[in-house]
Amino acid sequence: MSAAVRTWASFRTSRWFVPAMFAVAALVLFVLAPAMLSGFRLNLLAKYLCLAMIAVGIGLAWGRGGMLVLGQGVFFGLGAYMMAMHLKLADAGPGKIPDFMALISSRSLPWWWEPFRSPLFTVVAILVIPALVALLLGLATFRNRVKGAYFAILSQALAAAFAILLIGNPTSTGGSTGLNGFKGFFGFSLYDPLNKQMLFFIAAATLLVMVAIARQLMVSRYGELLVACRDAEERVRFLGYDPALIKTFGYVVAAVMAGVAGALFVPIVGIVSPNDVGIVPSIGMLIGVAIGGRTTLLGPVLGAIAVAWAGTTLSEAIPSGWIYLQGFLFMLVIAFLPGGLASLLTQWRPARKARTAPTTGAPLPAPTGGE
């Protein structure tokens, strides 16, 4: 083994490795990306970072907890629509209704829109409402020991119902068109390139915070219990722990991360519609996690960013073929590389150790007795 490899292996096990990796990520996001990318590309990267936030939560719930969450579009949509409602009310001005409601001759604002005039209420609601929905759903399903494919189908049905609800209420949610045309973000103009860059920095900082939270949960006692619930739930219950509470907490954390991602997605992209929260986008959120490596910390983040970038790039060249290629990649990874691309590193290390192991060992000890 070379000196460089030994040095890297020693550094990986030191206490400075994780802070160094966060420092490198901060350098890339806050220094190199703004310096090297145009305003348009930087805004695209901010969009990808929002999708990576969802992936962090999915990695925790699915990769560590074994919960196949096919309905994260619900929590993403809750956060996105709550932020969009606030932005539309702020653009309309005090006491006025949003422009899309005026176009359809709506004379009054729905009562559940009114609280979202307050920025503080909006921020709190974005954090609390997805958490409450996930808490209720998690307790109802995990208490009844619903898991595996049944939980996946249930969460997917919830995403479909949410999208139908949005489409069926055009006077309140904009229908299939959704909400768009935002002008400001908490007092800052969205037409100013500097404010667009500020949104990128907010998204980057939020993603790093989420990764830090996920890592802390993974290395804690809770992370061990979550993995134990995935691998041997009955043993966890036999030891006196409640698997329903353990899994529900992970599900709630993933829901809050998705809600925050949706809230940041709205001012960055400028639109939210049912097409962003239904079954297809929910499955798309899962594909990046599976390709990157759902059981690792950074695999879901890098996988989500890579899939989102590939979707933007390839869909321009082959608009009708990207969705099929995306599905093919998902099936390929699940069938031949269940651990995602991150598992290639773990497969490479044993092979490298075998190649670098000495071929001549110590002589066998002489026999001490017998024939």
Short mmCIF file of all heavy atoms in Angstrom, two decimals, residues 2-51:
data_model
loop_
_atom_site.label_atom_id
_atom_site.label_comp_id
_atom_site.label_asym_id
_atom_site.label_seq_id
_atom_site.Cartn_x
_atom_site.Cartn_y
_atom_site.Cartn_z
N SER A 2 0.62 2.19 -0.92
CA SER A 2 1.44 3.38 -1.04
C SER A 2 1.24 4.30 0.14
O SER A 2 0.26 4.20 0.89
CB SER A 2 1.11 4.11 -2.34
OG SER A 2 -0.21 4.60 -2.29
N ALA A 3 2.17 5.27 0.29
CA ALA A 3 2.08 6.22 1.40
C ALA A 3 0.85 7.11 1.26
O ALA A 3 0.22 7.47 2.26
CB ALA A 3 3.36 7.07 1.44
N ALA A 4 0.51 7.47 0.01
CA ALA A 4 -0.66 8.33 -0.21
C ALA A 4 -1.94 7.62 0.22
O ALA A 4 -2.83 8.22 0.84
CB ALA A 4 -0.74 8.74 -1.68
N VAL A 5 -2.04 6.33 -0.11
CA VAL A 5 -3.24 5.58 0.26
C VAL A 5 -3.33 5.43 1.76
O VAL A 5 -4.40 5.56 2.37
CB VAL A 5 -3.23 4.19 -0.43
CG1 VAL A 5 -4.38 3.33 0.09
CG2 VAL A 5 -3.32 4.35 -1.94
N ARG A 6 -2.18 5.17 2.43
CA ARG A 6 -2.17 5.05 3.88
C ARG A 6 -2.55 6.37 4.54
O ARG A 6 -3.28 6.39 5.54
CB ARG A 6 -0.80 4.59 4.36
CG ARG A 6 -0.50 3.13 4.07
CD ARG A 6 0.68 2.65 4.90
NE ARG A 6 1.88 3.44 4.64
CZ ARG A 6 2.79 3.13 3.72
NH1 ARG A 6 2.62 2.04 2.98
NH2 ARG A 6 3.85 3.88 3.53
N THR A 7 -2.05 7.47 3.98
CA THR A 7 -2.38 8.78 4.54
C THR A 7 -3.87 9.08 4.41
O THR A 7 -4.51 9.58 5.34
CB THR A 7 -1.57 9.88 3.82
OG1 THR A 7 -0.17 9.60 3.97
CG2 THR A 7 -1.88 11.25 4.40
N TRP A 8 -4.45 8.76 3.24
CA TRP A 8 -5.88 8.98 3.03
C TRP A 8 -6.72 8.11 3.96
O TRP A 8 -7.72 8.57 4.54
CB TRP A 8 -6.23 8.71 1.58
CG TRP A 8 -7.71 8.73 1.31
CD1 TRP A 8 -8.50 7.66 1.00
CD2 TRP A 8 -8.57 9.87 1.32
NE1 TRP A 8 -9.79 8.06 0.83
CE2 TRP A 8 -9.87 9.42 1.02
CE3 TRP A 8 -8.37 11.23 1.57
CZ2 TRP A 8 -10.96 10.26 0.96
CZ3 TRP A 8 -9.47 12.08 1.51
CH2 TRP A 8 -10.75 11.60 1.20
N ALA A 9 -6.32 6.84 4.13
CA ALA A 9 -7.05 5.96 5.03
C ALA A 9 -6.99 6.46 6.46
O ALA A 9 -7.97 6.40 7.21
CB ALA A 9 -6.48 4.54 4.93
N SER A 10 -5.84 6.97 6.86
CA SER A 10 -5.71 7.52 8.22
C SER A 10 -6.55 8.78 8.39
O SER A 10 -7.17 8.99 9.44
CB SER A 10 -4.24 7.81 8.51
OG SER A 10 -4.09 8.41 9.77
N PHE A 11 -6.58 9.60 7.34
CA PHE A 11 -7.36 10.84 7.43
C PHE A 11 -8.85 10.57 7.50
O PHE A 11 -9.60 11.26 8.21
CB PHE A 11 -7.04 11.72 6.21
CG PHE A 11 -7.83 13.00 6.15
CD1 PHE A 11 -7.71 13.96 7.14
CD2 PHE A 11 -8.71 13.23 5.11
CE1 PHE A 11 -8.44 15.14 7.10
CE2 PHE A 11 -9.45 14.40 5.05
CZ PHE A 11 -9.31 15.35 6.05
N ARG A 12 -9.31 9.53 6.79
CA ARG A 12 -10.74 9.18 6.79
C ARG A 12 -11.23 8.78 8.18
O ARG A 12 -12.40 8.98 8.52
CB ARG A 12 -11.01 8.04 5.81
CG ARG A 12 -11.17 8.49 4.38
CD ARG A 12 -11.50 7.30 3.50
NE ARG A 12 -12.71 6.63 3.95
CZ ARG A 12 -13.93 6.96 3.55
NH1 ARG A 12 -14.10 7.96 2.70
NH2 ARG A 12 -14.98 6.31 4.00
N THR A 13 -10.35 8.22 8.96
CA THR A 13 -10.76 7.78 10.30
C THR A 13 -10.51 8.82 11.37
O THR A 13 -10.84 8.59 12.54
CB THR A 13 -9.99 6.49 10.67
OG1 THR A 13 -8.57 6.74 10.61
CG2 THR A 13 -10.36 5.36 9.71
N SER A 14 -9.93 9.95 11.00
CA SER A 14 -9.65 10.99 11.99
C SER A 14 -10.90 11.84 12.24
O SER A 14 -11.85 11.83 11.46
CB SER A 14 -8.50 11.88 11.52
OG SER A 14 -8.91 12.68 10.42
N ARG A 15 -10.87 12.60 13.33
CA ARG A 15 -12.01 13.44 13.67
C ARG A 15 -12.13 14.66 12.78
O ARG A 15 -13.14 15.36 12.82
CB ARG A 15 -11.90 13.89 15.12
CG ARG A 15 -10.68 14.75 15.41
CD ARG A 15 -10.68 15.21 16.85
NE ARG A 15 -9.53 16.06 17.14
CZ ARG A 15 -9.33 16.67 18.31
NH1 ARG A 15 -10.20 16.50 19.29
NH2 ARG A 15 -8.27 17.42 18.49
N TRP A 16 -11.11 14.93 11.99
CA TRP A 16 -11.13 16.11 11.12
C TRP A 16 -11.72 15.82 9.74
O TRP A 16 -11.91 16.73 8.95
CB TRP A 16 -9.71 16.66 10.93
CG TRP A 16 -9.06 17.06 12.21
CD1 TRP A 16 -8.05 16.42 12.86
CD2 TRP A 16 -9.39 18.20 13.01
NE1 TRP A 16 -7.73 17.08 14.01
CE2 TRP A 16 -8.54 18.19 14.13
CE3 TRP A 16 -10.33 19.23 12.88
CZ2 TRP A 16 -8.58 19.15 15.12
CZ3 TRP A 16 -10.38 20.20 13.86
CH2 TRP A 16 -9.53 20.16 14.96
N PHE A 17 -12.02 14.54 9.47
CA PHE A 17 -12.48 14.19 8.13
C PHE A 17 -13.82 14.83 7.80
O PHE A 17 -13.99 15.46 6.75
CB PHE A 17 -12.58 12.67 7.99
CG PHE A 17 -13.10 12.21 6.66
CD1 PHE A 17 -12.32 12.29 5.52
CD2 PHE A 17 -14.39 11.72 6.54
CE1 PHE A 17 -12.79 11.88 4.29
CE2 PHE A 17 -14.88 11.31 5.31
CZ PHE A 17 -14.08 11.39 4.19
N VAL A 18 -14.80 14.68 8.68
CA VAL A 18 -16.14 15.22 8.42
C VAL A 18 -16.12 16.75 8.32
O VAL A 18 -16.68 17.31 7.37
CB VAL A 18 -17.13 14.74 9.49
CG1 VAL A 18 -18.48 15.42 9.32
CG2 VAL A 18 -17.30 13.23 9.39
N PRO A 19 -15.49 17.48 9.28
CA PRO A 19 -15.43 18.94 9.09
C PRO A 19 -14.72 19.35 7.81
O PRO A 19 -15.12 20.34 7.17
CB PRO A 19 -14.64 19.41 10.33
CG PRO A 19 -14.87 18.36 11.35
CD PRO A 19 -14.94 17.07 10.59
N ALA A 20 -13.71 18.59 7.41
CA ALA A 20 -13.01 18.93 6.16
C ALA A 20 -13.91 18.74 4.95
O ALA A 20 -13.90 19.56 4.03
CB ALA A 20 -11.76 18.06 6.03
N MET A 21 -14.72 17.67 4.96
CA MET A 21 -15.62 17.44 3.84
C MET A 21 -16.70 18.53 3.76
O MET A 21 -17.05 18.99 2.68
CB MET A 21 -16.28 16.07 3.97
CG MET A 21 -15.34 14.89 3.78
SD MET A 21 -14.56 14.83 2.12
CE MET A 21 -12.95 15.56 2.48
N PHE A 22 -17.20 18.97 4.92
CA PHE A 22 -18.17 20.06 4.92
C PHE A 22 -17.51 21.36 4.44
O PHE A 22 -18.15 22.16 3.75
CB PHE A 22 -18.76 20.25 6.32
CG PHE A 22 -19.95 19.37 6.61
CD1 PHE A 22 -19.80 18.17 7.28
CD2 PHE A 22 -21.21 19.74 6.19
CE1 PHE A 22 -20.88 17.35 7.55
CE2 PHE A 22 -22.32 18.93 6.43
CZ PHE A 22 -22.15 17.74 7.12
N ALA A 23 -16.26 21.56 4.79
CA ALA A 23 -15.55 22.76 4.34
C ALA A 23 -15.36 22.74 2.83
O ALA A 23 -15.51 23.77 2.15
CB ALA A 23 -14.20 22.87 5.05
N VAL A 24 -15.04 21.56 2.28
CA VAL A 24 -14.89 21.44 0.82
C VAL A 24 -16.23 21.71 0.12
O VAL A 24 -16.29 22.41 -0.89
CB VAL A 24 -14.34 20.05 0.47
CG1 VAL A 24 -14.41 19.82 -1.04
CG2 VAL A 24 -12.92 19.90 0.96
N ALA A 25 -17.30 21.14 0.67
CA ALA A 25 -18.63 21.36 0.08
C ALA A 25 -19.01 22.83 0.13
O ALA A 25 -19.55 23.39 -0.83
CB ALA A 25 -19.67 20.52 0.81
N ALA A 26 -18.71 23.49 1.26
CA ALA A 26 -19.01 24.93 1.38
C ALA A 26 -18.19 25.73 0.38
O ALA A 26 -18.68 26.70 -0.21
CB ALA A 26 -18.74 25.39 2.81
N LEU A 27 -16.92 25.35 0.19
CA LEU A 27 -16.08 26.05 -0.78
C LEU A 27 -16.63 25.92 -2.19
O LEU A 27 -16.69 26.89 -2.95
CB LEU A 27 -14.66 25.48 -0.71
CG LEU A 27 -13.64 26.06 -1.71
CD1 LEU A 27 -13.38 27.53 -1.41
CD2 LEU A 27 -12.34 25.27 -1.67
N VAL A 28 -17.08 24.71 -2.54
CA VAL A 28 -17.63 24.49 -3.88
C VAL A 28 -18.91 25.30 -4.08
O VAL A 28 -19.11 25.94 -5.12
CB VAL A 28 -17.88 22.99 -4.10
CG1 VAL A 28 -18.66 22.76 -5.40
CG2 VAL A 28 -16.56 22.23 -4.14
N LEU A 29 -19.79 25.27 -3.08
CA LEU A 29 -21.11 25.88 -3.23
C LEU A 29 -21.07 27.41 -3.11
O LEU A 29 -21.78 28.10 -3.83
CB LEU A 29 -22.08 25.31 -2.19
CG LEU A 29 -22.47 23.84 -2.38
CD1 LEU A 29 -23.31 23.35 -1.21
CD2 LEU A 29 -23.24 23.64 -3.69
N PHE A 30 -20.28 27.91 -2.20
CA PHE A 30 -20.32 29.35 -1.92
C PHE A 30 -19.25 30.15 -2.65
O PHE A 30 -19.35 31.37 -2.73
CB PHE A 30 -20.18 29.59 -0.41
CG PHE A 30 -21.35 29.12 0.38
CD1 PHE A 30 -21.30 27.92 1.09
CD2 PHE A 30 -22.52 29.85 0.42
CE1 PHE A 30 -22.38 27.47 1.81
CE2 PHE A 30 -23.62 29.41 1.15
CZ PHE A 30 -23.54 28.22 1.84
N VAL A 31 -18.22 29.48 -3.18
CA VAL A 31 -17.14 30.22 -3.85
C VAL A 31 -17.03 29.81 -5.32
O VAL A 31 -17.15 30.65 -6.22
CB VAL A 31 -15.80 29.99 -3.13
CG1 VAL A 31 -14.67 30.74 -3.87
CG2 VAL A 31 -15.88 30.47 -1.68
N LEU A 32 -16.81 28.52 -5.57
CA LEU A 32 -16.54 28.09 -6.94
C LEU A 32 -17.78 28.17 -7.83
O LEU A 32 -17.69 28.64 -8.97
CB LEU A 32 -16.00 26.65 -6.93
CG LEU A 32 -14.67 26.44 -6.22
CD1 LEU A 32 -14.23 24.99 -6.32
CD2 LEU A 32 -13.60 27.35 -6.81
N ALA A 33 -18.92 27.70 -7.35
CA ALA A 33 -20.13 27.71 -8.18
C ALA A 33 -20.54 29.12 -8.60
O ALA A 33 -20.78 29.35 -9.80
CB ALA A 33 -21.28 27.02 -7.44
N PRO A 34 -20.62 30.11 -7.70
CA PRO A 34 -20.98 31.46 -8.15
C PRO A 34 -19.94 32.08 -9.09
O PRO A 34 -20.29 32.89 -9.96
CB PRO A 34 -21.07 32.26 -6.84
CG PRO A 34 -21.30 31.25 -5.79
CD PRO A 34 -20.56 30.04 -6.23
N ALA A 35 -18.67 31.68 -8.92
CA ALA A 35 -17.63 32.25 -9.76
C ALA A 35 -17.60 31.64 -11.15
O ALA A 35 -17.22 32.30 -12.12
CB ALA A 35 -16.26 32.06 -9.09
N MET A 36 -17.99 30.39 -11.29
CA MET A 36 -17.85 29.67 -12.55
C MET A 36 -19.14 29.57 -13.35
O MET A 36 -19.09 29.34 -14.56
CB MET A 36 -17.31 28.26 -12.29
CG MET A 36 -15.94 28.23 -11.61
SD MET A 36 -15.39 26.56 -11.21
CE MET A 36 -15.28 25.82 -12.84
N LEU A 37 -20.29 29.70 -12.70
CA LEU A 37 -21.57 29.50 -13.39
C LEU A 37 -22.24 30.83 -13.69
O LEU A 37 -22.13 31.78 -12.92
CB LEU A 37 -22.50 28.63 -12.55
CG LEU A 37 -22.02 27.21 -12.23
CD1 LEU A 37 -23.04 26.50 -11.35
CD2 LEU A 37 -21.77 26.42 -13.51
N SER A 38 -22.97 30.86 -14.80
CA SER A 38 -23.78 32.04 -15.13
C SER A 38 -24.98 32.09 -14.20
O SER A 38 -25.28 31.14 -13.47
CB SER A 38 -24.23 31.97 -16.58
OG SER A 38 -25.08 30.85 -16.78
N GLY A 39 -25.69 33.21 -14.25
CA GLY A 39 -26.88 33.35 -13.41
C GLY A 39 -27.92 32.28 -13.69
O GLY A 39 -28.54 31.75 -12.77
N PHE A 40 -28.10 31.93 -14.97
CA PHE A 40 -29.08 30.91 -15.34
C PHE A 40 -28.67 29.54 -14.79
O PHE A 40 -29.48 28.82 -14.21
CB PHE A 40 -29.22 30.86 -16.85
CG PHE A 40 -30.08 29.75 -17.35
CD1 PHE A 40 -31.46 29.79 -17.22
CD2 PHE A 40 -29.51 28.62 -17.94
CE1 PHE A 40 -32.26 28.74 -17.66
CE2 PHE A 40 -30.30 27.58 -18.40
CZ PHE A 40 -31.67 27.65 -18.26
N ARG A 41 -27.38 29.19 -14.97
CA ARG A 41 -26.91 27.88 -14.50
C ARG A 41 -26.90 27.82 -12.98
O ARG A 41 -27.15 26.76 -12.40
CB ARG A 41 -25.50 27.62 -15.05
CG ARG A 41 -25.44 27.49 -16.56
CD ARG A 41 -26.24 26.30 -17.04
NE ARG A 41 -26.27 26.22 -18.50
CZ ARG A 41 -26.98 25.33 -19.17
NH1 ARG A 41 -27.74 24.47 -18.52
NH2 ARG A 41 -26.97 25.32 -20.48
N LEU A 42 -26.61 28.94 -12.33
CA LEU A 42 -26.62 28.96 -10.88
C LEU A 42 -28.04 28.76 -10.35
O LEU A 42 -28.24 28.07 -9.34
CB LEU A 42 -26.05 30.28 -10.37
CG LEU A 42 -25.66 30.33 -8.89
CD1 LEU A 42 -24.48 29.41 -8.63
CD2 LEU A 42 -25.31 31.75 -8.46
N ASN A 43 -29.01 29.32 -11.04
CA ASN A 43 -30.40 29.12 -10.64
C ASN A 43 -30.82 27.66 -10.84
O ASN A 43 -31.58 27.11 -10.03
CB ASN A 43 -31.30 30.05 -11.43
CG ASN A 43 -32.68 30.15 -10.84
OD1 ASN A 43 -32.86 30.61 -9.72
ND2 ASN A 43 -33.70 29.74 -11.59
N LEU A 44 -30.33 27.04 -11.92
CA LEU A 44 -30.60 25.62 -12.13
C LEU A 44 -29.99 24.77 -11.02
O LEU A 44 -30.62 23.84 -10.52
CB LEU A 44 -30.03 25.17 -13.48
CG LEU A 44 -30.90 25.34 -14.72
CD1 LEU A 44 -30.17 24.82 -15.94
CD2 LEU A 44 -32.25 24.66 -14.57
N LEU A 45 -28.77 25.13 -10.61
CA LEU A 45 -28.12 24.38 -9.54
C LEU A 45 -28.90 24.55 -8.23
O LEU A 45 -29.02 23.59 -7.45
CB LEU A 45 -26.68 24.85 -9.36
CG LEU A 45 -25.87 24.15 -8.27
CD1 LEU A 45 -25.84 22.64 -8.49
CD2 LEU A 45 -24.44 24.71 -8.21
N ALA A 46 -29.44 25.75 -8.00
CA ALA A 46 -30.27 25.95 -6.81
C ALA A 46 -31.49 25.04 -6.83
O ALA A 46 -31.90 24.49 -5.80
CB ALA A 46 -30.68 27.42 -6.71
N LYS A 47 -32.08 24.87 -8.00
CA LYS A 47 -33.22 23.95 -8.14
C LYS A 47 -32.79 22.52 -7.82
O LYS A 47 -33.50 21.79 -7.10
CB LYS A 47 -33.76 24.03 -9.57
CG LYS A 47 -34.83 23.00 -9.88
CD LYS A 47 -35.22 23.05 -11.35
CE LYS A 47 -36.17 21.91 -11.71
NZ LYS A 47 -36.51 21.93 -13.16
N TYR A 48 -31.62 22.12 -8.30
CA TYR A 48 -31.13 20.78 -8.02
C TYR A 48 -30.87 20.59 -6.52
O TYR A 48 -31.09 19.50 -5.99
CB TYR A 48 -29.83 20.51 -8.79
CG TYR A 48 -29.95 20.66 -10.29
CD1 TYR A 48 -28.82 20.89 -11.07
CD2 TYR A 48 -31.18 20.58 -10.93
CE1 TYR A 48 -28.90 21.03 -12.45
CE2 TYR A 48 -31.27 20.73 -12.31
CZ TYR A 48 -30.13 20.96 -13.06
OH TYR A 48 -30.22 21.11 -14.42
N LEU A 49 -30.40 21.64 -5.86
CA LEU A 49 -30.15 21.54 -4.43
C LEU A 49 -31.45 21.32 -3.65
O LEU A 49 -31.46 20.61 -2.65
CB LEU A 49 -29.45 22.81 -3.92
CG LEU A 49 -28.04 23.07 -4.48
CD1 LEU A 49 -27.45 24.31 -3.82
CD2 LEU A 49 -27.12 21.87 -4.27
N CYS A 50 -32.53 21.92 -4.13
CA CYS A 50 -33.83 21.69 -3.49
C CYS A 50 -34.23 20.22 -3.61
O CYS A 50 -34.74 19.61 -2.64
CB CYS A 50 -34.91 22.57 -4.12
SG CYS A 50 -34.71 24.34 -3.79
N LEU A 51 -34.01 19.63 -4.77
CA LEU A 51 -34.31 18.20 -4.94
C LEU A 51 -33.38 17.34 -4.09
O LEU A 51 -33.79 16.27 -3.61
CB LEU A 51 -34.18 17.83 -6.42
CG LEU A 51 -35.12 18.59 -7.37
CD1 LEU A 51 -34.86 18.17 -8.81
CD2 LEU A 51 -36.58 18.34 -7.01
#
